[in-house]
Amino acid sequence: MCADSKNLSSSVAALNQEAKDRIRKTLGLHSGLTFLFCGRMIKLKGCKYLLAEWRRHIKDFPEDNLLLVGDGPDLPIFRKQYQNEQSIHFAGGVDYDQIYQYYAVSDVFIIPTLEDNWSLVVPEAMACGLPVATSIYNGCYPEFATQGNGMTFDPLKDGDIQHVLAEFHKADLKAMGERSRMIERDYSPDQTDRKSSSFMKKRILFLLQLPPPTYGAAIVGQEIRDSKLINETFDATYLNIVLTRDLNHPEPAFSRLARYLSLFFKLLGILL
């Protein structure tokens, strides 16, 4: 699974400071840090806990902003509950081709999810140069938030979100953002395609090396090894897994065991 990082990062880079200032003014953002959430307004996204702890955070950092982008059944509830909070901005649903503007004017991306296998919004934010704060219930946090570019928290632990929000005021956000970009590049669509293709090539060719112990199969195996098309197209790995050398004369048990062990170590070497 990959995010549309290339187009998003290009769109963000195309915005000059004047354009960003206009967007900030339109959104009514204050002069402090802007924390961005993008996602569905549903219980599993954990916004309930983020909003509750934001009220504590804003007492210490009154100029900070919490910008929430997304629609869902909980949105009208949150809007009513926090309608008097000037630091909280509900953008509602936003067309995807406009989402880059919100990344461009934000300082930190935060996702308090209670359950996610792999949040695509996290690498999107990273591609746009944002540090990330993600909950420990997000399956991608080991790859995306533990390498000097982000922080993790437990949204169900009282005070944990508030602590992380405050920590970003002590951090080098520019350096963390650059680190985010570097990490995300390894998970971009181009990189993922290259890695997947390389892996599949080896597996496909390796599986071709499973012939029965017959003369015809041996010829086919040699043709595969000598194929110019295969060797130029794939990163070929060959391993002979013929289990007996002669159907009419069974191989001695000791010799057969030695060959099986040799085969095992060859296979182990390929896999490692």
Side-chain angles (χ1 to χ4, degrees), residues 201-202 204-212 216-234 236-239:
K201 288 172 187 176
K202 291 181 180 179
I204 289 170
L205 288 176
F206 177 72
L207 290 176
L208 288 174
Q209 304 306 302
L210 297 171
I219 294 177
V220 172
Q222 191 60 48
E223 288 294 325
I224 291 172
R225 288 173 181 268
D226 295 340
S227 170
K228 183 177 179 181
L229 175 63
I230 290 176
N231 286 297
E232 288 182 353
T233 305
F234 298 99
T237 300
Y238 300 106
L239 181 63

PDB file of all heavy atoms in Angstrom, residues 201-202 204-212 216-234 236-239:
ATOM      1  N   LYS A 201      10.353 -11.632  -9.058  1.00  0.00           N
ATOM      2  CA  LYS A 201      11.192 -12.246 -10.077  1.00  0.00           C
ATOM      3  C   LYS A 201      11.944 -13.443  -9.502  1.00  0.00           C
ATOM      4  O   LYS A 201      11.975 -14.510 -10.078  1.00  0.00           O
ATOM      5  CB  LYS A 201      12.192 -11.226 -10.615  1.00  0.00           C
ATOM      6  CG  LYS A 201      11.580 -10.153 -11.501  1.00  0.00           C
ATOM      7  CD  LYS A 201      12.606  -9.092 -11.825  1.00  0.00           C
ATOM      8  CE  LYS A 201      11.979  -7.928 -12.560  1.00  0.00           C
ATOM      9  NZ  LYS A 201      12.947  -6.836 -12.805  1.00  0.00           N
ATOM     10  N   LYS A 202      12.548 -13.267  -8.353  1.00  0.00           N
ATOM     11  CA  LYS A 202      13.315 -14.355  -7.758  1.00  0.00           C
ATOM     12  C   LYS A 202      12.414 -15.535  -7.412  1.00  0.00           C
ATOM     13  O   LYS A 202      12.754 -16.676  -7.646  1.00  0.00           O
ATOM     14  CB  LYS A 202      14.034 -13.854  -6.507  1.00  0.00           C
ATOM     15  CG  LYS A 202      15.161 -12.877  -6.806  1.00  0.00           C
ATOM     16  CD  LYS A 202      15.842 -12.433  -5.535  1.00  0.00           C
ATOM     17  CE  LYS A 202      16.965 -11.451  -5.839  1.00  0.00           C
ATOM     18  NZ  LYS A 202      17.631 -10.984  -4.622  1.00  0.00           N
ATOM     19  N   ILE A 204       9.522 -16.371  -8.753  1.00  0.00           N
ATOM     20  CA  ILE A 204       8.996 -17.017  -9.960  1.00  0.00           C
ATOM     21  C   ILE A 204      10.053 -17.956 -10.551  1.00  0.00           C
ATOM     22  O   ILE A 204       9.777 -19.103 -10.845  1.00  0.00           O
ATOM     23  CB  ILE A 204       8.583 -15.960 -11.005  1.00  0.00           C
ATOM     24  CG1 ILE A 204       7.330 -15.230 -10.527  1.00  0.00           C
ATOM     25  CG2 ILE A 204       8.301 -16.613 -12.354  1.00  0.00           C
ATOM     26  CD1 ILE A 204       6.973 -14.011 -11.349  1.00  0.00           C
ATOM     27  N   LEU A 205      11.273 -17.475 -10.670  1.00  0.00           N
ATOM     28  CA  LEU A 205      12.318 -18.298 -11.265  1.00  0.00           C
ATOM     29  C   LEU A 205      12.728 -19.441 -10.345  1.00  0.00           C
ATOM     30  O   LEU A 205      13.051 -20.525 -10.793  1.00  0.00           O
ATOM     31  CB  LEU A 205      13.531 -17.432 -11.600  1.00  0.00           C
ATOM     32  CG  LEU A 205      13.320 -16.489 -12.782  1.00  0.00           C
ATOM     33  CD1 LEU A 205      14.528 -15.616 -12.983  1.00  0.00           C
ATOM     34  CD2 LEU A 205      13.016 -17.261 -14.056  1.00  0.00           C
ATOM     35  N   PHE A 206      12.728 -19.208  -9.074  1.00  0.00           N
ATOM     36  CA  PHE A 206      13.065 -20.261  -8.124  1.00  0.00           C
ATOM     37  C   PHE A 206      12.045 -21.385  -8.191  1.00  0.00           C
ATOM     38  O   PHE A 206      12.395 -22.566  -8.185  1.00  0.00           O
ATOM     39  CB  PHE A 206      13.133 -19.687  -6.714  1.00  0.00           C
ATOM     40  CG  PHE A 206      13.412 -20.739  -5.678  1.00  0.00           C
ATOM     41  CD1 PHE A 206      14.661 -21.327  -5.569  1.00  0.00           C
ATOM     42  CD2 PHE A 206      12.417 -21.158  -4.808  1.00  0.00           C
ATOM     43  CE1 PHE A 206      14.924 -22.291  -4.630  1.00  0.00           C
ATOM     44  CE2 PHE A 206      12.664 -22.135  -3.864  1.00  0.00           C
ATOM     45  CZ  PHE A 206      13.923 -22.697  -3.777  1.00  0.00           C
ATOM     46  N   LEU A 207      10.794 -21.080  -8.300  1.00  0.00           N
ATOM     47  CA  LEU A 207       9.754 -22.095  -8.381  1.00  0.00           C
ATOM     48  C   LEU A 207       9.839 -22.896  -9.669  1.00  0.00           C
ATOM     49  O   LEU A 207       9.366 -24.022  -9.724  1.00  0.00           O
ATOM     50  CB  LEU A 207       8.374 -21.428  -8.261  1.00  0.00           C
ATOM     51  CG  LEU A 207       8.038 -20.859  -6.891  1.00  0.00           C
ATOM     52  CD1 LEU A 207       6.696 -20.149  -6.919  1.00  0.00           C
ATOM     53  CD2 LEU A 207       8.016 -21.963  -5.839  1.00  0.00           C
ATOM     54  N   LEU A 208      10.449 -22.355 -10.699  1.00  0.00           N
ATOM     55  CA  LEU A 208      10.634 -23.107 -11.937  1.00  0.00           C
ATOM     56  C   LEU A 208      11.660 -24.223 -11.770  1.00  0.00           C
ATOM     57  O   LEU A 208      11.742 -25.115 -12.590  1.00  0.00           O
ATOM     58  CB  LEU A 208      11.098 -22.161 -13.051  1.00  0.00           C
ATOM     59  CG  LEU A 208      10.036 -21.204 -13.590  1.00  0.00           C
ATOM     60  CD1 LEU A 208      10.661 -20.240 -14.580  1.00  0.00           C
ATOM     61  CD2 LEU A 208       8.892 -21.965 -14.227  1.00  0.00           C
ATOM     62  N   GLN A 209      12.460 -24.144 -10.724  1.00  0.00           N
ATOM     63  CA  GLN A 209      13.494 -25.153 -10.487  1.00  0.00           C
ATOM     64  C   GLN A 209      12.976 -26.296  -9.611  1.00  0.00           C
ATOM     65  O   GLN A 209      13.587 -26.701  -8.644  1.00  0.00           O
ATOM     66  CB  GLN A 209      14.710 -24.498  -9.834  1.00  0.00           C
ATOM     67  CG  GLN A 209      15.281 -23.333 -10.630  1.00  0.00           C
ATOM     68  CD  GLN A 209      15.597 -23.745 -12.061  1.00  0.00           C
ATOM     69  OE1 GLN A 209      16.373 -24.661 -12.270  1.00  0.00           O
ATOM     70  NE2 GLN A 209      14.988 -23.094 -13.038  1.00  0.00           N
ATOM     71  N   LEU A 210      11.808 -26.832  -9.941  1.00  0.00           N
ATOM     72  CA  LEU A 210      11.242 -27.942  -9.168  1.00  0.00           C
ATOM     73  C   LEU A 210      10.805 -29.073 -10.102  1.00  0.00           C
ATOM     74  O   LEU A 210       9.651 -29.491 -10.078  1.00  0.00           O
ATOM     75  CB  LEU A 210      10.042 -27.447  -8.347  1.00  0.00           C
ATOM     76  CG  LEU A 210      10.340 -26.397  -7.278  1.00  0.00           C
ATOM     77  CD1 LEU A 210       9.031 -25.853  -6.702  1.00  0.00           C
ATOM     78  CD2 LEU A 210      11.165 -26.986  -6.165  1.00  0.00           C
ATOM     79  N   PRO A 211      11.705 -29.564 -10.972  1.00  0.00           N
ATOM     80  CA  PRO A 211      11.280 -30.592 -11.920  1.00  0.00           C
ATOM     81  C   PRO A 211      11.288 -31.985 -11.308  1.00  0.00           C
ATOM     82  O   PRO A 211      12.024 -32.240 -10.359  1.00  0.00           O
ATOM     83  CB  PRO A 211      12.351 -30.492 -13.011  1.00  0.00           C
ATOM     84  CG  PRO A 211      13.581 -30.095 -12.266  1.00  0.00           C
ATOM     85  CD  PRO A 211      13.102 -29.182 -11.159  1.00  0.00           C
ATOM     86  N   PRO A 212      10.498 -32.920 -11.849  1.00  0.00           N
ATOM     87  CA  PRO A 212      10.625 -34.323 -11.432  1.00  0.00           C
ATOM     88  C   PRO A 212      11.910 -34.891 -12.012  1.00  0.00           C
ATOM     89  O   PRO A 212      12.463 -34.338 -12.964  1.00  0.00           O
ATOM     90  CB  PRO A 212       9.394 -34.991 -12.064  1.00  0.00           C
ATOM     91  CG  PRO A 212       9.085 -34.127 -13.251  1.00  0.00           C
ATOM     92  CD  PRO A 212       9.450 -32.727 -12.856  1.00  0.00           C
ATOM     93  N   GLY A 216      13.535 -35.531 -19.610  1.00  0.00           N
ATOM     94  CA  GLY A 216      12.866 -34.414 -20.270  1.00  0.00           C
ATOM     95  C   GLY A 216      12.871 -33.167 -19.405  1.00  0.00           C
ATOM     96  O   GLY A 216      13.115 -32.058 -19.889  1.00  0.00           O
ATOM     97  N   ALA A 217      12.639 -33.345 -18.122  1.00  0.00           N
ATOM     98  CA  ALA A 217      12.635 -32.199 -17.207  1.00  0.00           C
ATOM     99  C   ALA A 217      14.021 -31.586 -17.109  1.00  0.00           C
ATOM    100  O   ALA A 217      14.170 -30.370 -16.975  1.00  0.00           O
ATOM    101  CB  ALA A 217      12.153 -32.636 -15.831  1.00  0.00           C
ATOM    102  N   ALA A 218      15.047 -32.428 -17.171  1.00  0.00           N
ATOM    103  CA  ALA A 218      16.419 -31.910 -17.111  1.00  0.00           C
ATOM    104  C   ALA A 218      16.714 -31.019 -18.307  1.00  0.00           C
ATOM    105  O   ALA A 218      17.369 -29.981 -18.192  1.00  0.00           O
ATOM    106  CB  ALA A 218      17.408 -33.062 -17.049  1.00  0.00           C
ATOM    107  N   ILE A 219      16.210 -31.409 -19.473  1.00  0.00           N
ATOM    108  CA  ILE A 219      16.393 -30.587 -20.673  1.00  0.00           C
ATOM    109  C   ILE A 219      15.686 -29.254 -20.514  1.00  0.00           C
ATOM    110  O   ILE A 219      16.237 -28.196 -20.819  1.00  0.00           O
ATOM    111  CB  ILE A 219      15.861 -31.330 -21.920  1.00  0.00           C
ATOM    112  CG1 ILE A 219      16.717 -32.571 -22.202  1.00  0.00           C
ATOM    113  CG2 ILE A 219      15.848 -30.397 -23.128  1.00  0.00           C
ATOM    114  CD1 ILE A 219      16.219 -33.391 -23.366  1.00  0.00           C
ATOM    115  N   VAL A 220      14.451 -29.292 -20.012  1.00  0.00           N
ATOM    116  CA  VAL A 220      13.687 -28.068 -19.791  1.00  0.00           C
ATOM    117  C   VAL A 220      14.413 -27.153 -18.803  1.00  0.00           C
ATOM    118  O   VAL A 220      14.515 -25.941 -18.999  1.00  0.00           O
ATOM    119  CB  VAL A 220      12.272 -28.387 -19.269  1.00  0.00           C
ATOM    120  CG1 VAL A 220      11.556 -27.104 -18.861  1.00  0.00           C
ATOM    121  CG2 VAL A 220      11.474 -29.120 -20.333  1.00  0.00           C
ATOM    122  N   GLY A 221      14.947 -27.756 -17.733  1.00  0.00           N
ATOM    123  CA  GLY A 221      15.683 -26.979 -16.745  1.00  0.00           C
ATOM    124  C   GLY A 221      16.875 -26.272 -17.352  1.00  0.00           C
ATOM    125  O   GLY A 221      17.146 -25.107 -17.058  1.00  0.00           O
ATOM    126  N   GLN A 222      17.610 -26.977 -18.221  1.00  0.00           N
ATOM    127  CA  GLN A 222      18.776 -26.368 -18.855  1.00  0.00           C
ATOM    128  C   GLN A 222      18.367 -25.250 -19.803  1.00  0.00           C
ATOM    129  O   GLN A 222      19.033 -24.219 -19.911  1.00  0.00           O
ATOM    130  CB  GLN A 222      19.576 -27.439 -19.606  1.00  0.00           C
ATOM    131  CG  GLN A 222      20.942 -26.952 -20.070  1.00  0.00           C
ATOM    132  CD  GLN A 222      21.809 -26.518 -18.898  1.00  0.00           C
ATOM    133  OE1 GLN A 222      21.922 -27.228 -17.904  1.00  0.00           O
ATOM    134  NE2 GLN A 222      22.410 -25.335 -19.004  1.00  0.00           N
ATOM    135  N   GLU A 223      17.250 -25.443 -20.517  1.00  0.00           N
ATOM    136  CA  GLU A 223      16.748 -24.405 -21.424  1.00  0.00           C
ATOM    137  C   GLU A 223      16.404 -23.137 -20.644  1.00  0.00           C
ATOM    138  O   GLU A 223      16.650 -22.019 -21.101  1.00  0.00           O
ATOM    139  CB  GLU A 223      15.503 -24.914 -22.170  1.00  0.00           C
ATOM    140  CG  GLU A 223      15.779 -25.970 -23.221  1.00  0.00           C
ATOM    141  CD  GLU A 223      16.598 -25.421 -24.381  1.00  0.00           C
ATOM    142  OE1 GLU A 223      16.406 -24.234 -24.729  1.00  0.00           O
ATOM    143  OE2 GLU A 223      17.437 -26.161 -24.917  1.00  0.00           O
ATOM    144  N   ILE A 224      15.836 -23.315 -19.461  1.00  0.00           N
ATOM    145  CA  ILE A 224      15.494 -22.158 -18.625  1.00  0.00           C
ATOM    146  C   ILE A 224      16.755 -21.423 -18.201  1.00  0.00           C
ATOM    147  O   ILE A 224      16.838 -20.199 -18.269  1.00  0.00           O
ATOM    148  CB  ILE A 224      14.689 -22.607 -17.389  1.00  0.00           C
ATOM    149  CG1 ILE A 224      13.306 -23.104 -17.808  1.00  0.00           C
ATOM    150  CG2 ILE A 224      14.567 -21.472 -16.381  1.00  0.00           C
ATOM    151  CD1 ILE A 224      12.511 -23.730 -16.696  1.00  0.00           C
ATOM    152  N   ARG A 225      17.771 -22.184 -17.769  1.00  0.00           N
ATOM    153  CA  ARG A 225      19.023 -21.569 -17.329  1.00  0.00           C
ATOM    154  C   ARG A 225      19.699 -20.793 -18.458  1.00  0.00           C
ATOM    155  O   ARG A 225      20.319 -19.749 -18.240  1.00  0.00           O
ATOM    156  CB  ARG A 225      19.990 -22.639 -16.821  1.00  0.00           C
ATOM    157  CG  ARG A 225      19.595 -23.249 -15.496  1.00  0.00           C
ATOM    158  CD  ARG A 225      20.535 -24.414 -15.186  1.00  0.00           C
ATOM    159  NE  ARG A 225      20.188 -25.049 -13.918  1.00  0.00           N
ATOM    160  CZ  ARG A 225      20.696 -24.721 -12.750  1.00  0.00           C
ATOM    161  NH1 ARG A 225      21.571 -23.733 -12.667  1.00  0.00           N
ATOM    162  NH2 ARG A 225      20.333 -25.359 -11.649  1.00  0.00           N
ATOM    163  N   ASP A 226      19.578 -21.317 -19.698  1.00  0.00           N
ATOM    164  CA  ASP A 226      20.267 -20.717 -20.840  1.00  0.00           C
ATOM    165  C   ASP A 226      19.446 -19.651 -21.540  1.00  0.00           C
ATOM    166  O   ASP A 226      19.920 -19.024 -22.489  1.00  0.00           O
ATOM    167  CB  ASP A 226      20.637 -21.806 -21.861  1.00  0.00           C
ATOM    168  CG  ASP A 226      21.652 -22.791 -21.301  1.00  0.00           C
ATOM    169  OD1 ASP A 226      22.330 -22.437 -20.315  1.00  0.00           O
ATOM    170  OD2 ASP A 226      21.745 -23.907 -21.846  1.00  0.00           O
ATOM    171  N   SER A 227      18.221 -19.439 -21.088  1.00  0.00           N
ATOM    172  CA  SER A 227      17.331 -18.501 -21.773  1.00  0.00           C
ATOM    173  C   SER A 227      17.834 -17.063 -21.647  1.00  0.00           C
ATOM    174  O   SER A 227      17.945 -16.517 -20.547  1.00  0.00           O
ATOM    175  CB  SER A 227      15.912 -18.592 -21.198  1.00  0.00           C
ATOM    176  OG  SER A 227      15.112 -17.538 -21.690  1.00  0.00           O
ATOM    177  N   LYS A 228      18.120 -16.429 -22.780  1.00  0.00           N
ATOM    178  CA  LYS A 228      18.561 -15.035 -22.786  1.00  0.00           C
ATOM    179  C   LYS A 228      17.454 -14.120 -22.286  1.00  0.00           C
ATOM    180  O   LYS A 228      17.699 -13.172 -21.529  1.00  0.00           O
ATOM    181  CB  LYS A 228      18.970 -14.638 -24.208  1.00  0.00           C
ATOM    182  CG  LYS A 228      19.505 -13.216 -24.310  1.00  0.00           C
ATOM    183  CD  LYS A 228      19.954 -12.914 -25.728  1.00  0.00           C
ATOM    184  CE  LYS A 228      20.474 -11.483 -25.827  1.00  0.00           C
ATOM    185  NZ  LYS A 228      20.897 -11.147 -27.216  1.00  0.00           N
ATOM    186  N   LEU A 229      16.218 -14.414 -22.699  1.00  0.00           N
ATOM    187  CA  LEU A 229      15.083 -13.586 -22.287  1.00  0.00           C
ATOM    188  C   LEU A 229      14.927 -13.583 -20.765  1.00  0.00           C
ATOM    189  O   LEU A 229      14.783 -12.530 -20.136  1.00  0.00           O
ATOM    190  CB  LEU A 229      13.790 -14.108 -22.937  1.00  0.00           C
ATOM    191  CG  LEU A 229      12.498 -13.403 -22.508  1.00  0.00           C
ATOM    192  CD1 LEU A 229      12.531 -11.936 -22.908  1.00  0.00           C
ATOM    193  CD2 LEU A 229      11.286 -14.104 -23.121  1.00  0.00           C
ATOM    194  N   ILE A 230      14.981 -14.765 -20.159  1.00  0.00           N
ATOM    195  CA  ILE A 230      14.812 -14.869 -18.708  1.00  0.00           C
ATOM    196  C   ILE A 230      15.953 -14.177 -17.978  1.00  0.00           C
ATOM    197  O   ILE A 230      15.742 -13.400 -17.048  1.00  0.00           O
ATOM    198  CB  ILE A 230      14.709 -16.345 -18.276  1.00  0.00           C
ATOM    199  CG1 ILE A 230      13.373 -16.938 -18.748  1.00  0.00           C
ATOM    200  CG2 ILE A 230      14.840 -16.477 -16.759  1.00  0.00           C
ATOM    201  CD1 ILE A 230      13.207 -18.399 -18.454  1.00  0.00           C
ATOM    202  N   ASN A 231      17.170 -14.424 -18.407  1.00  0.00           N
ATOM    203  CA  ASN A 231      18.322 -13.885 -17.696  1.00  0.00           C
ATOM    204  C   ASN A 231      18.472 -12.383 -17.842  1.00  0.00           C
ATOM    205  O   ASN A 231      19.037 -11.717 -16.976  1.00  0.00           O
ATOM    206  CB  ASN A 231      19.603 -14.596 -18.149  1.00  0.00           C
ATOM    207  CG  ASN A 231      19.700 -16.004 -17.578  1.00  0.00           C
ATOM    208  OD1 ASN A 231      19.775 -16.188 -16.378  1.00  0.00           O
ATOM    209  ND2 ASN A 231      19.663 -16.993 -18.451  1.00  0.00           N
ATOM    210  N   GLU A 232      17.949 -11.819 -18.923  1.00  0.00           N
ATOM    211  CA  GLU A 232      18.003 -10.369 -19.092  1.00  0.00           C
ATOM    212  C   GLU A 232      16.831  -9.677 -18.403  1.00  0.00           C
ATOM    213  O   GLU A 232      16.924  -8.516 -18.017  1.00  0.00           O
ATOM    214  CB  GLU A 232      18.011 -10.012 -20.582  1.00  0.00           C
ATOM    215  CG  GLU A 232      19.321 -10.331 -21.281  1.00  0.00           C
ATOM    216  CD  GLU A 232      19.310  -9.912 -22.734  1.00  0.00           C
ATOM    217  OE1 GLU A 232      18.232  -9.496 -23.219  1.00  0.00           O
ATOM    218  OE2 GLU A 232      20.370  -9.998 -23.388  1.00  0.00           O
ATOM    219  N   THR A 233      15.729 -10.396 -18.286  1.00  0.00           N
ATOM    220  CA  THR A 233      14.518  -9.789 -17.724  1.00  0.00           C
ATOM    221  C   THR A 233      14.456  -9.908 -16.216  1.00  0.00           C
ATOM    222  O   THR A 233      13.965  -9.012 -15.533  1.00  0.00           O
ATOM    223  CB  THR A 233      13.263 -10.458 -18.330  1.00  0.00           C
ATOM    224  OG1 THR A 233      13.336 -10.370 -19.750  1.00  0.00           O
ATOM    225  CG2 THR A 233      11.991  -9.758 -17.847  1.00  0.00           C
ATOM    226  N   PHE A 234      14.986 -11.032 -15.683  1.00  0.00           N
ATOM    227  CA  PHE A 234      14.840 -11.315 -14.262  1.00  0.00           C
ATOM    228  C   PHE A 234      16.183 -11.355 -13.547  1.00  0.00           C
ATOM    229  O   PHE A 234      17.228 -11.576 -14.163  1.00  0.00           O
ATOM    230  CB  PHE A 234      14.142 -12.666 -14.052  1.00  0.00           C
ATOM    231  CG  PHE A 234      12.751 -12.719 -14.610  1.00  0.00           C
ATOM    232  CD1 PHE A 234      12.506 -13.308 -15.838  1.00  0.00           C
ATOM    233  CD2 PHE A 234      11.683 -12.171 -13.911  1.00  0.00           C
ATOM    234  CE1 PHE A 234      11.231 -13.364 -16.365  1.00  0.00           C
ATOM    235  CE2 PHE A 234      10.407 -12.219 -14.427  1.00  0.00           C
ATOM    236  CZ  PHE A 234      10.183 -12.816 -15.663  1.00  0.00           C
ATOM    237  N   ALA A 236      17.859 -13.689 -11.808  1.00  0.00           N
ATOM    238  CA  ALA A 236      17.634 -15.134 -11.736  1.00  0.00           C
ATOM    239  C   ALA A 236      18.440 -15.802 -10.632  1.00  0.00           C
ATOM    240  O   ALA A 236      19.616 -15.525 -10.441  1.00  0.00           O
ATOM    241  CB  ALA A 236      17.976 -15.769 -13.078  1.00  0.00           C
ATOM    242  N   THR A 237      17.765 -16.693  -9.910  1.00  0.00           N
ATOM    243  CA  THR A 237      18.415 -17.553  -8.923  1.00  0.00           C
ATOM    244  C   THR A 237      18.011 -18.992  -9.229  1.00  0.00           C
ATOM    245  O   THR A 237      16.818 -19.288  -9.315  1.00  0.00           O
ATOM    246  CB  THR A 237      17.969 -17.187  -7.492  1.00  0.00           C
ATOM    247  OG1 THR A 237      18.316 -15.841  -7.230  1.00  0.00           O
ATOM    248  CG2 THR A 237      18.637 -18.099  -6.475  1.00  0.00           C
ATOM    249  N   TYR A 238      18.996 -19.869  -9.422  1.00  0.00           N
ATOM    250  CA  TYR A 238      18.705 -21.242  -9.814  1.00  0.00           C
ATOM    251  C   TYR A 238      19.128 -22.210  -8.717  1.00  0.00           C
ATOM    252  O   TYR A 238      20.190 -22.063  -8.118  1.00  0.00           O
ATOM    253  CB  TYR A 238      19.461 -21.595 -11.105  1.00  0.00           C
ATOM    254  CG  TYR A 238      19.093 -20.711 -12.269  1.00  0.00           C
ATOM    255  CD1 TYR A 238      19.970 -19.729 -12.711  1.00  0.00           C
ATOM    256  CD2 TYR A 238      17.874 -20.864 -12.915  1.00  0.00           C
ATOM    257  CE1 TYR A 238      19.643 -18.910 -13.775  1.00  0.00           C
ATOM    258  CE2 TYR A 238      17.533 -20.053 -13.977  1.00  0.00           C
ATOM    259  CZ  TYR A 238      18.421 -19.076 -14.413  1.00  0.00           C
ATOM    260  OH  TYR A 238      18.084 -18.271 -15.463  1.00  0.00           O
ATOM    261  N   LEU A 239      18.284 -23.193  -8.500  1.00  0.00           N
ATOM    262  CA  LEU A 239      18.614 -24.230  -7.523  1.00  0.00           C
ATOM    263  C   LEU A 239      17.992 -25.538  -7.983  1.00  0.00           C
ATOM    264  O   LEU A 239      16.781 -25.621  -8.210  1.00  0.00           O
ATOM    265  CB  LEU A 239      18.078 -23.852  -6.141  1.00  0.00           C
ATOM    266  CG  LEU A 239      18.391 -24.848  -5.019  1.00  0.00           C
ATOM    267  CD1 LEU A 239      19.906 -24.940  -4.818  1.00  0.00           C
ATOM    268  CD2 LEU A 239      17.726 -24.402  -3.720  1.00  0.00           C
TER     269      LEU A 239
END
